[in-house]
């Protein structure tokens, strides 16, 4: 009996993010690891607090987490927090938007599995 694994039938969820550099680089985010989801969900609860306090250390941590999220992509491209801020011109407001989109992405993945 012959078996076949058709990779074309697998539909891996992707969230595309176009950044603000001159090339308008697109990162195709893929399914996150469980530990990354845990980090993300605990950090999202702090976003409004960080926005109000403008605590520099907490904002740095959010850039680090966002860089980790964006580095989990289908093209194996990595990005540092400094690149996000300087090269790709991602602002704190952008971080909030990225977090919101990523949360929706995670919810869609979770819903599809159930």
């Amino acid at each position: 009996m012959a078996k076949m694994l058709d990779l074309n039938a697998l539909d891996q969820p992707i969230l595309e993010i176009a950044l603000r550099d001159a090339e308008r680089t697109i990162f195709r985010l893929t399914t996150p690891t469980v530990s990354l989801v845990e980090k993300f969900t605990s950090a999202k609860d702090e976003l409004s607090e960080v926005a109000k306090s403008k605590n520099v250390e907490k904002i740095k941590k959010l850039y680090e987490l966002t860089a980790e999220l964006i580095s989990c992509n289908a093209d194996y491209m990595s990005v540092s927090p400094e690149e996000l801020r300087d090269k790709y011109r991602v602002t704190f407001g952008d971080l909030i938007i990225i977090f919101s989109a990523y949360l929706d992405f995670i919810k869609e993945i979770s819903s599809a599995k159930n």
Side-chain angles (χ1 to χ4, degrees), residues 16-28:
E16 289 188 351
I17 296 182
L19 297 179
R20 290 196 173 112
D21 58 321
E23 295 81 22
R24 296 183 57 119
T25 303
I26 294 176
F27 284 88
R28 297 176 326 122

Side-chain angles (χ1 to χ4, degrees), residues 55-65 81 85:
N55 179 302
V56 175
E57 287 306 311
K58 289 186 179 185
I59 291 172
K60 278 175 112 174
K61 293 284 185 202
L62 290 176
Y63 271 98
E64 288 170 8
L65 179 57
R85 190 184 59 244

Side-chain angles (χ1 to χ4, degrees), residues 2-27:
K3 291 187 178 189
M4 179 178 173
L5 171 61
D6 184 359
L7 297 179
N8 294 301
L10 300 176
D11 188 24
Q12 181 177 357
I14 299 282
L15 171 65
E16 289 188 351
I17 296 182
L19 297 179
R20 290 196 173 112
D21 58 321
E23 295 81 22
R24 296 183 57 119
T25 303
I26 294 176
F27 284 88

Side-chain angles (χ1 to χ4, degrees), residues 9-79:
L10 300 176
D11 188 24
Q12 181 177 357
I14 299 282
L15 171 65
E16 289 188 351
I17 296 182
L19 297 179
R20 290 196 173 112
D21 58 321
E23 295 81 22
R24 296 183 57 119
T25 303
I26 294 176
F27 284 88
R28 297 176 326 122
L29 308 187
T30 58
T31 308
T33 63
V34 172
S35 65
L36 191 53
V37 171
E38 289 170 353
K39 282 186 202 178
F40 170 75
T41 52
S42 64
K44 78 171 177 57
D45 297 334
E46 296 179 34
L47 272 179
S48 60
E49 176 191 321
V50 174
K52 290 176 191 170
S53 72
K54 299 205 182 348
N55 179 302
V56 175
E57 287 306 311
K58 289 186 179 185
I59 291 172
K60 278 175 112 174
K61 293 284 185 202
L62 290 176
Y63 271 98
E64 288 170 8
L65 179 57
T66 305
E68 189 175 349
L69 291 174
I70 291 176
S71 293
C72 183
N73 62 72
D75 302 305
Y76 305 104
M77 296 171 24
S78 64
V79 63

